[in-house]
Amino acid sequence: MPAFVRPLLLLVALSAPFARTAAESSAWSAVLEKSQITVHVLKKGLFSAAAHDHHFVATRWRATASFDEARASDVRLELVVAADSLRDRQPALSSGDRDKVNRQAAGPDVLNAQRNPEIRFTAGKLEPRATSAGRLEGMLEGTLSLHGHERPLSVLVLATKGQGGWRAHGSVKFKQSDFGIEPYSGFLGTVAVQDEVKLDYDVFLVPAP
């Protein structure tokens, strides 16, 4: 064997683990048509029976993730939702009433989408609860940016690998007031909404282009 070949073989052998690591750590992006993000805003108050719960579905958003199955805690995720894209799916409302609720949600008294056009969640760590081949479960530790405020947020996630990609779902609760939003209250508080809202998500991720 020529003398110059040996150093080359040694270099290849030493670099192999790093090449495998780069291949295993991959990027993923959400398929909106196979995913859904819903924010539940529930009613309260003495006359709440005359009001409705609201279930806002995000219609314009994107999500990207990067992770290595071999290192479950090493996760990078970003979710960005257009603040004016939330649409109420309360079936008891007429289309006109739903449009009014949607405008109020995006308006200056709630999300103020003109001034704060994006709702953003970024995470850089997963606290695993249970992991196995093709399955990740734990708490995503990140930051939620909403209405011009940032707060830490822990989000439950359960992800399973299937044909064509990963299916991740879970939920999280947080208070509107923590982000400078005053929950709606009318008629001296007899018709109002709860401060705490719940977000459910079901997201399908495929390899990023």
Side-chain angles (χ1 to χ4, degrees), residues 42-53 189-194:
L42 305 184
K43 62 187 178 180
K44 71 172 186 177
L46 181 62
F47 297 147
S48 61
H52 299 92
D53 295 328
T190 58
V191 178
V193 300
Q194 297 179 22

Short mmCIF file of all heavy atoms in Angstrom, two decimals, residues 42-53 189-194:
data_model
loop_
_atom_site.label_atom_id
_atom_site.label_comp_id
_atom_site.label_asym_id
_atom_site.label_seq_id
_atom_site.Cartn_x
_atom_site.Cartn_y
_atom_site.Cartn_z
N LEU A 42 -62.84 29.65 26.56
CA LEU A 42 -64.09 29.21 27.18
C LEU A 42 -64.78 30.34 27.93
O LEU A 42 -64.14 31.25 28.46
CB LEU A 42 -63.82 28.04 28.12
CG LEU A 42 -63.08 26.84 27.49
CD1 LEU A 42 -62.95 25.71 28.51
CD2 LEU A 42 -63.79 26.35 26.23
N LYS A 43 -66.09 30.25 27.99
CA LYS A 43 -66.92 31.30 28.60
C LYS A 43 -66.99 31.14 30.12
O LYS A 43 -66.69 30.09 30.68
CB LYS A 43 -68.34 31.22 28.02
CG LYS A 43 -69.04 29.89 28.31
CD LYS A 43 -70.36 29.78 27.59
CE LYS A 43 -71.02 28.42 27.86
NZ LYS A 43 -72.32 28.28 27.16
N LYS A 44 -67.43 32.22 30.77
CA LYS A 44 -67.71 32.19 32.21
C LYS A 44 -68.68 33.33 32.51
O LYS A 44 -68.99 34.16 31.64
CB LYS A 44 -66.44 32.33 33.03
CG LYS A 44 -65.82 33.71 32.99
CD LYS A 44 -64.66 33.82 33.98
CE LYS A 44 -64.14 35.27 34.05
NZ LYS A 44 -63.06 35.41 35.07
N GLY A 45 -69.17 33.40 33.74
CA GLY A 45 -70.05 34.48 34.15
C GLY A 45 -71.46 34.01 34.44
O GLY A 45 -71.88 32.92 34.03
N LEU A 46 -72.20 34.84 35.15
CA LEU A 46 -73.55 34.49 35.59
C LEU A 46 -74.47 34.15 34.42
O LEU A 46 -75.28 33.23 34.50
CB LEU A 46 -74.13 35.66 36.40
CG LEU A 46 -75.54 35.47 36.96
CD1 LEU A 46 -75.56 34.29 37.96
CD2 LEU A 46 -76.02 36.75 37.62
N PHE A 47 -74.33 34.89 33.33
CA PHE A 47 -75.19 34.67 32.16
C PHE A 47 -74.44 33.97 31.03
O PHE A 47 -74.76 34.14 29.86
CB PHE A 47 -75.75 36.00 31.66
CG PHE A 47 -76.64 36.70 32.64
CD1 PHE A 47 -76.68 38.08 32.70
CD2 PHE A 47 -77.43 35.97 33.53
CE1 PHE A 47 -77.50 38.72 33.62
CE2 PHE A 47 -78.25 36.61 34.45
CZ PHE A 47 -78.27 38.00 34.50
N SER A 48 -73.47 33.16 31.40
CA SER A 48 -72.65 32.49 30.38
C SER A 48 -73.46 31.50 29.55
O SER A 48 -73.05 31.15 28.43
CB SER A 48 -71.47 31.77 31.03
OG SER A 48 -71.93 30.78 31.95
N ALA A 49 -74.59 31.04 30.06
CA ALA A 49 -75.42 30.11 29.29
C ALA A 49 -75.90 30.74 28.00
O ALA A 49 -76.18 30.04 27.02
CB ALA A 49 -76.60 29.65 30.13
N ALA A 50 -75.96 32.07 27.97
CA ALA A 50 -76.40 32.76 26.76
C ALA A 50 -75.24 33.05 25.81
O ALA A 50 -75.45 33.56 24.71
CB ALA A 50 -77.09 34.07 27.14
N ALA A 51 -74.02 32.72 26.23
CA ALA A 51 -72.84 32.98 25.41
C ALA A 51 -72.32 31.66 24.81
O ALA A 51 -72.96 30.60 24.93
CB ALA A 51 -71.76 33.65 26.25
N HIS A 52 -71.15 31.72 24.19
CA HIS A 52 -70.58 30.55 23.53
C HIS A 52 -69.10 30.42 23.86
O HIS A 52 -68.40 31.42 24.06
CB HIS A 52 -70.74 30.63 22.00
CG HIS A 52 -72.16 30.69 21.54
ND1 HIS A 52 -72.82 31.89 21.33
CD2 HIS A 52 -73.05 29.71 21.25
CE1 HIS A 52 -74.05 31.65 20.93
NE2 HIS A 52 -74.23 30.35 20.87
N ASP A 53 -68.64 29.17 23.89
CA ASP A 53 -67.21 28.93 23.86
C ASP A 53 -66.72 29.21 22.44
O ASP A 53 -67.49 29.12 21.47
CB ASP A 53 -66.89 27.48 24.23
CG ASP A 53 -67.28 27.15 25.67
OD1 ASP A 53 -67.19 28.06 26.53
OD2 ASP A 53 -67.67 26.00 25.93
N GLY A 189 -69.44 41.81 33.94
CA GLY A 189 -68.81 40.52 34.19
C GLY A 189 -69.74 39.33 34.13
O GLY A 189 -69.31 38.20 34.35
N THR A 190 -71.02 39.60 33.83
CA THR A 190 -71.96 38.47 33.77
C THR A 190 -71.79 37.63 32.52
O THR A 190 -72.22 36.48 32.47
CB THR A 190 -73.41 38.98 33.85
OG1 THR A 190 -73.64 39.90 32.76
CG2 THR A 190 -73.67 39.68 35.17
N VAL A 191 -71.17 38.20 31.48
CA VAL A 191 -70.80 37.45 30.27
C VAL A 191 -69.33 37.74 30.01
O VAL A 191 -68.94 38.88 29.78
CB VAL A 191 -71.65 37.89 29.05
CG1 VAL A 191 -71.19 37.12 27.81
CG2 VAL A 191 -73.13 37.63 29.31
N ALA A 192 -68.51 36.71 30.08
CA ALA A 192 -67.07 36.91 29.98
C ALA A 192 -66.40 35.63 29.48
O ALA A 192 -67.06 34.61 29.28
CB ALA A 192 -66.49 37.31 31.35
N VAL A 193 -65.08 35.72 29.27
CA VAL A 193 -64.31 34.54 28.91
C VAL A 193 -63.24 34.31 29.96
O VAL A 193 -62.80 35.24 30.65
CB VAL A 193 -63.67 34.66 27.50
CG1 VAL A 193 -64.73 34.84 26.44
CG2 VAL A 193 -62.65 35.78 27.46
N GLN A 194 -62.84 33.08 30.11
CA GLN A 194 -61.83 32.73 31.09
C GLN A 194 -60.46 33.29 30.68
O GLN A 194 -60.14 33.40 29.49
CB GLN A 194 -61.75 31.21 31.23
CG GLN A 194 -63.02 30.56 31.75
CD GLN A 194 -62.91 29.06 31.84
OE1 GLN A 194 -61.81 28.50 31.91
NE2 GLN A 194 -64.05 28.38 31.86
#
